[in-house]
Amino acid sequence: MTDGLDGVRDHYRATGLTERLKTALAALGPANEKLTPQQLGALDQFHTRGLAATAELAKLADIGADTSVLDVGSGIGGPARYLAATYGCRVTGVDLSERSGQSGQVSFQAASALALPFEDGCFDAALLQHVAMNIADRARLYREIRRVLKTGGRFATFDVVLNDGEPHYPVPWARTPATSFLLTAPATREAIERAGFRTLISQDDTEVAKAWFAQLRASGPPPSPNLGVVMGADFAQLAANLGRNLMEGRLGILTAVLEAA
Ligand SMILES: C[S@@+](CC[C@H](N)C(=O)[O-])C[C@H]1O[C@@H](n2cnc3c(N)ncnc32)[C@H](O)[C@@H]1O
């Protein structure tokens, strides 16, 4: 693909992932035993505060059994599986990484958030968790999300924002500044609203994220399987740098829920 997104693809590219996942998951129990979102949370929820953050965002977005949800930049698929398992809703995940497939109420497609492969107005809700910081063309990102949502639909975003000063790299979404495109919280909200949204909820979640990182630092990385299986041995360092950037006031965490106007 020549869409200018190869640097981001390379950052998340995991070679031999299927085999590594099989080995890591074998430690959790026999292959025919169903794993819970809680067992997998340290591995497949690729954002600050893991499963707890997804659970909170789903509540804020008012997701229920009848909500058709689009998870933009769905990563390893943990948030999509959690939503379907918890609410019984249909969830479609889209990510740059070469994954596709369907299981029960969850389906995944490989596509860019900047060219979503869906018709106008076909989802009730869209989630965007820790993805926007990889995307330079925010106007296009938020316009695409608005386009595929029904009028009155909800957009729930949970992302890292620029606060004060240059972040230390590498961080979990970018090993260098070349694939990192951060905006401040007000600039993020403004870009979203300009795409045709009305803000319902906007909260600064930096302090709760800092507390989570402080606890992580004290207790050490979560037991395997965790995101190190996917991102490689340096993941603990990437995560520690995000914690440090938050502690030093360089970065912040924004949660916002908006309505498609
Ligand atoms: C930090 S992970 C977050 C994954 C997931 N949202 C979660 O919270 O578990 C960021 C994900 O965004 C995806 N991504 C980045 N830029 C994208 C784009 N332009 N289109 C689709 N996915 C993108 C990456 O491939 C990666 O899987």
Side-chain angles (χ1 to χ4, degrees):
M1 261 188 243
T2 52
D3 53 11
L5 300 170
D6 286 345
V8 176
R9 270 190 201 90
D10 284 346
H11 174 75
Y12 291 106
R13 179 163 292 140
T15 47
L17 181 60
T18 309
E19 279 317 305
R20 272 187 284 139
L21 281 175
K22 274 189 191 155
T23 309
L25 295 180
L28 293 177
N32 58 356
E33 208 172 275
K34 224 173 160 189
L35 296 167
T36 64
Q38 285 71 20
Q39 280 176 295
L40 289 172
L43 171 78
D44 69 2
Q45 301 277 336
F46 196 164
H47 52 256
T48 311
R49 294 181 52 240
L51 192 54
T54 301
E56 282 176 23
L57 197 64
K59 278 196 190 134
L60 290 178
D62 213 10
I63 285 172
D66 296 333
T67 316
S68 68
V69 183
L70 175 65
D71 188 15
V72 181
S74 48
I76 305 130
R81 283 187 292 271
Y82 168 82
L83 294 177
T86 308
Y87 294 99
C89 55
R90 290 204 64 81
V91 188
T92 305
V94 161
D95 201 282
L96 281 184
S97 61
E98 303 294 318
R99 99 201 302 285
S100 58
Q102 173 116 26
S103 116
Q105 285 163 282
V106 185
S107 66
F108 295 102
Q109 293 190 37
S112 168
L114 299 175
L116 292 169
F118 307 108
E119 299 198 343
D120 296 2
C122 56
F123 292 98
D124 300 310
L127 251 58
L128 186 76
Q129 293 193 92
H130 281 43
V131 178
M133 63 263 188
N134 277 132
I135 296 183
D137 193 346
R138 293 294 185 93
R140 186 163 159 196
L141 168 68
Y142 299 132
R143 268 202 316 267
E144 269 299 87
I145 293 173
R146 171 63 192 90
R147 182 184 68 72
V148 301
L149 276 176
K150 294 172 186 164
T151 297
R154 298 222 164 171
F155 172 39
T157 178
F158 172 61
D159 256 305
V160 181
V161 291
L162 206 54
N163 197 4
D164 190 12
E166 271 306 297
H168 304 286
Y169 289 88
V171 285
W173 63 94
R175 287 186 167 83
T176 72
T179 50
S180 183
F181 308 99
L182 295 158
L183 294 180
T184 61
T188 304
R189 270 194 313 267
E190 206 183 302
I192 301 174
E193 287 181 350
R194 221 179 286 137
F197 288 98
R198 191 171 65 83
T199 301
L200 301 176
I201 298 164
S202 176
Q203 66 193 39
D204 179 348
D205 278 335
T206 310
E207 290 307 316
V208 60
K210 278 161 68 174
W212 184 80
F213 273 105
Q215 205 194 338
L216 197 67
R217 195 154 60 185
S219 63
S224 193
N226 59 40
L227 276 161
V229 175
V230 181
M231 292 301 289
D234 65 345
F235 189 72
Q237 189 210 338
L238 310 189
N241 269 350
L242 172 54
R244 180 179 170 206
N245 284 318
L246 293 170
M247 303 293 177
E248 292 179 4
R250 294 168 194 268
L251 297 178
I253 302 282
L254 169 72
T255 298
V257 179
L258 303 97
E259 185 181 55

